[in-house]
Amino acid sequence: MSQHIHLADTVALHDLLLSMNQDQLLDTSLLRLFVTIAESNSLNDAAARLGITQPAISQGLRQLEDRLGTQLVVRRTRPVKLTVAGTVLRQNADAILGELRRLNAMVRDAAEKGLGRCRLGMVTSLSEVFGSQLFAKLQQRVESLTMRSGLANQLRHDFLNRETDIVISNDPFDGIEHLERYPLLRDPMLIAIPKELEMSTLPEPSVLAASSPLIKYGRSSDIGIYTEVILRRANLETKVKFETDDTHTLMRFVQGGHGWGILSALCLLQVLHRLEGIVLLPLDNSRHFRSIHLIARQGEMGSLPESISEMIQTMFYAEVYPQITNVAPWIEKKSFMLTH
């Protein structure tokens, strides 16, 4: 077989490349540049209107003409005069750019109004407090809404495997790029003791640790791990009689007089109906707390993550915080405010 390319092959290749070039879509930035030229008295005038140099205008015009394979502007005329091809392009350019502007507006509007699907993950304590109301509000904005609740480590796994779109948790996903992060709340830790342990003065944790067993969250949960951190910082040696990952169970044991517990304010809201015979006390002036964050993948959910963060903060201060002060009147609003 001959290794030489015949003339017919060369012509066929040229025609193929030409047809491929003609099928390429116009660059919208060049199209906008051409419209500005058509509306101007000269290329210098067009350059001034766009804030670029006249050579840049000329180069952009040549690129557009090369792309279309025809001359669009009659050179050296003032005001600018279009060729027949240029006039056709000018007549259709407005419609094309108008459609693009409408498309941009539609996309932005869709982001503002809602999405087709949202899969939301929340740690259990938050889902019990905010889940139902949040579900009702979000159903107006998305066509399909699902919620998952569980421990922070499971929610992290689900989010990183793209099984959820938004996570509300005490896990800030540090070190992972291209995420949107919205700080929501401080969740201060507090102490729950059975009423029979109540004293005339507030008992110190060291006194409680020496006199009564600790009922604590298990090490499989973040709050259980954080409880271990608190005990270590306070240099407390405690006898642990029972461990659980469930706030309801923890408080039943405290209520039954089996020991004292450490829990967070938001966990407390899960058991407001189970506080008879229980006294709530501050822990270290609320210096120990969980930070609650909303996490979403950057740009994927439009304005929804920010809207959800605003919903939660509004619900908390209007409806949830007053419930906490009813049972723990000593806790201040600033205890829940994260510094940005």
Side-chain angles (χ1 to χ4, degrees):
M1 182 181 293
S2 172
Q3 298 298 313
H4 298 288
I5 300 177
H6 296 291
L7 178 61
D9 295 330
T10 303
V11 172
L13 179 61
H14 176 270
D15 290 343
L16 175 61
L17 292 174
L18 180 61
S19 66
M20 289 173 65
N21 187 58
Q22 289 173 340
D23 287 340
Q24 290 180 354
L25 296 176
L26 291 178
D27 187 323
T28 54
S29 61
L30 292 180
L31 197 56
R32 292 190 183 95
L33 179 142
F34 174 73
V35 170
T36 303
I37 292 172
E39 294 174 345
S40 303
N41 289 324
S42 65
L43 295 187
N44 283 331
D45 180 31
R49 291 175 62 179
L50 292 174
I52 59 178
T53 64
Q54 190 272 330
I57 284 282
S58 298
Q59 182 181 0
L61 177 59
R62 282 196 300 273
Q63 288 177 3
L64 184 59
E65 289 178 332
D66 290 345
R67 176 69 59 82
L68 292 171
T70 187
Q71 187 174 337
L72 300 172
V73 174
V74 179
R75 300 299 195 269
R76 299 184 182 84
T77 59
R78 193 181 181 90
V80 170
K81 184 177 180 181
L82 302 180
T83 63
V84 174
T87 300
V88 171
L89 180 61
R90 173 72 179 84
Q91 291 170 345
N92 290 277
D94 281 337
I96 293 170
L97 293 174
E99 284 299 320
L100 287 174
R101 282 191 291 271
R102 280 189 287 275
L103 178 60
N104 287 340
M106 287 170 61
V107 171
R108 286 194 300 269
D109 187 56
E112 291 299 321
K113 288 185 177 178
L115 300 160
R117 180 182 71 170
C118 177
R119 299 166 301 172
L120 180 63
M122 301 177 72
V123 289
T124 302
S125 56
L126 296 178
S127 66
E128 288 197 32
V129 175
F130 298 107
S132 178
Q133 290 171 281
L134 195 58
F135 193 87
K137 291 178 183 293
L138 291 180
Q139 279 187 312
Q140 302 169 13
R141 293 199 52 176
V142 295
E143 294 178 11
S144 172
L145 175 64
T146 58
M147 280 190 180
R148 293 185 182 183
S149 68
L151 300 178
N153 54 3
Q154 181 60 49
L155 295 177
R156 180 186 182 90
H157 174 272
D158 293 345
F159 182 78
L160 293 179
N161 284 278
R162 303 191 72 89
E163 295 174 19
T164 53
D165 304 303
I166 296 172
V167 175
I168 302 170
S169 167
N170 53 290
D171 183 354
F173 288 73
D174 287 334
I176 299 178
E177 298 180 346
H178 309 301
L179 297 181
E180 298 176 22
R181 293 177 174 86
Y182 296 88
L184 299 180
L185 298 165
R186 227 170 162 262
D187 185 17
M189 305 297 289
L190 47 83
I191 294 173
I193 66 173
K195 197 168 182 61
E196 55 262 31
L197 290 181
E198 187 177 15
M199 305 176 188
S200 57
T201 58
L202 294 180
E204 292 291 329
S206 58
V207 175
L208 290 171
S211 62
S212 182
L214 176 66
I215 312 299
K216 68 180 292 291
Y217 291 98
R219 294 176 180 85
S220 62
S221 67
D222 283 359
I223 195 166
I225 295 171
Y226 188 47
T227 299
E228 296 280 358
V229 172
I230 294 171
L231 296 173
R232 187 170 62 252
R233 287 175 180 171
N235 197 27
L236 293 177
E237 293 186 9
T238 60
K239 296 177 182 178
V240 177
K241 182 174 286 189
F242 185 77
E243 291 190 8
T244 178
D245 290 330
D246 179 69
T247 301
H248 299 271
T249 305
L250 185 147
M251 293 300 274
R252 283 193 192 98
F253 271 74
V254 174
Q255 191 178 43
H258 301 293
W260 59 289
I262 296 175
L263 71 163
S264 78
L266 291 177
C267 289
L268 173 67
L269 289 165
Q270 299 176 257
V271 290
L272 287 178
H273 63 290
R274 191 175 290 280
L275 295 180
E276 184 179 353
I278 289 177
V279 178
L280 301 170
L281 305 173
L283 173 63
D284 197 23
N285 293 318
S286 298
R287 283 195 289 266
H288 288 97
F289 59 92
R290 298 190 302 171
S291 297
I292 307 301
H293 308 265
L294 182 147
I295 308 294
R297 283 177 283 274
Q298 202 169 69
E300 289 193 9
M301 302 302 290
S303 64
L304 193 62
E306 184 176 10
S307 295
I308 293 175
S309 69
E310 292 172 355
M311 288 177 194
I312 288 178
Q313 289 175 320
T314 298
M315 280 191 286
F316 177 79
Y317 289 110
E319 304 168 26
V320 176
Y321 174 67
Q323 295 181 56
I324 296 175
T325 56
N326 284 339
V327 295
W330 42 265
I331 199 163
E332 299 178 338
K333 185 177 287 189
K334 66 181 181 181
S335 300
F336 297 93
M337 295 180 178
L338 281 169
T339 54
H340 295 265

